[in-house]
Amino acid sequence: MLTPLAAGALAFALFVLFDLCKAYTRARRPGLLFAAGGLLLAGAAARLFFPPAPGWTALRALSAAWAAAWLLLLVYVLFFALPAGDVYGAAAPPAVCDRGAYALCRHPGFWCFLFCALGLWLAAGTPRMGAGALVFSGLDLAYVAAQDRWLFPKYLAGYAGYQQSTPFLFPNRRSAARCFGRTL
């Protein structure tokens, strides 16, 4: 059986394989790779989280609520803010989504993942969850950097223009105004 950290690393390898299939092949169901990676990562996080350190405190309870809120936002950003059938299904390559959260920065899911992982670390109160949060967040950063540099330009129509108009990770005043529908 894989260690939780190895399982999480394998999950990110499956995510990359999903994007490679979208970029370079006509695989019929590449979304299965993404789903398998998601399940593997969730299982790895659960194995790192349980059992939490003894002595549940108000801070740890708030951290768990924080993690849950960011997890819900991550699900929204990945599956509802995007046309999920086009992105994860067998449909033709999707066009860039540049509205809502994706007007704020090109990879808003990174922030949701990072803040969820940090909340889980604080809620669990264990070094093993801390290691998982740091390793998985680092792998996620490497993953979104690879998507942005090599993968998305290959299969998302209009990605080069999107890179010019929208910040990579750190929103700016103009991108925030576009996200929230305001003019400068």
Side-chain angles (χ1 to χ4, degrees):
M1 176 179 260
L2 293 174
T3 68
L5 292 179
L10 179 58
F12 280 96
L14 290 174
F15 295 153
V16 170
L17 191 55
F18 160 77
D19 279 318
L20 287 170
C21 283
K22 293 288 274 189
Y24 295 103
T25 74
R26 296 201 185 271
R28 290 181 43 119
R29 298 198 186 273
L32 294 176
L33 293 166
F34 191 87
L39 290 173
L40 195 57
L41 185 58
R47 287 175 55 203
L48 290 169
F49 187 87
F50 293 107
W56 198 248
T57 64
L59 176 61
R60 289 178 58 199
L62 285 172
S63 297
W66 166 272
W70 283 104
L71 178 61
L72 289 173
L73 282 172
L74 179 62
V75 168
Y76 169 76
V77 164
L78 293 179
F79 298 106
F80 296 98
L82 295 170
D86 292 347
V87 174
Y88 304 106
V96 165
C97 178
D98 61 357
R99 63 191 180 284
Y102 289 90
L104 197 58
C105 69
R106 296 193 303 268
H107 299 277
F110 169 78
W111 296 111
C112 299
F113 185 90
L114 175 69
F115 293 139
C116 176
L118 292 175
L120 288 173
W121 179 7
L122 292 173
T126 62
R128 69 181 180 279
M129 187 68 236
L134 293 174
V135 168
F136 297 162
S137 295
L139 289 170
D140 193 35
L141 180 59
Y143 175 51
V144 299
Q147 284 178 318
D148 202 71
R149 176 84 167 112
W150 297 293
L151 299 167
F152 285 175
K154 290 286 185 193
Y155 75 88
L156 289 177
Y159 200 74
Y162 181 55
Q163 287 175 307
Q164 296 299 314
S165 68
T166 307
F168 174 57
L169 286 178
F170 296 98
N172 58 34
R173 196 169 150 222
R174 187 177 335 157
S175 69
R178 278 198 344 262
C179 174
F180 297 109
R182 298 197 172 110
T183 57
L184 292 175

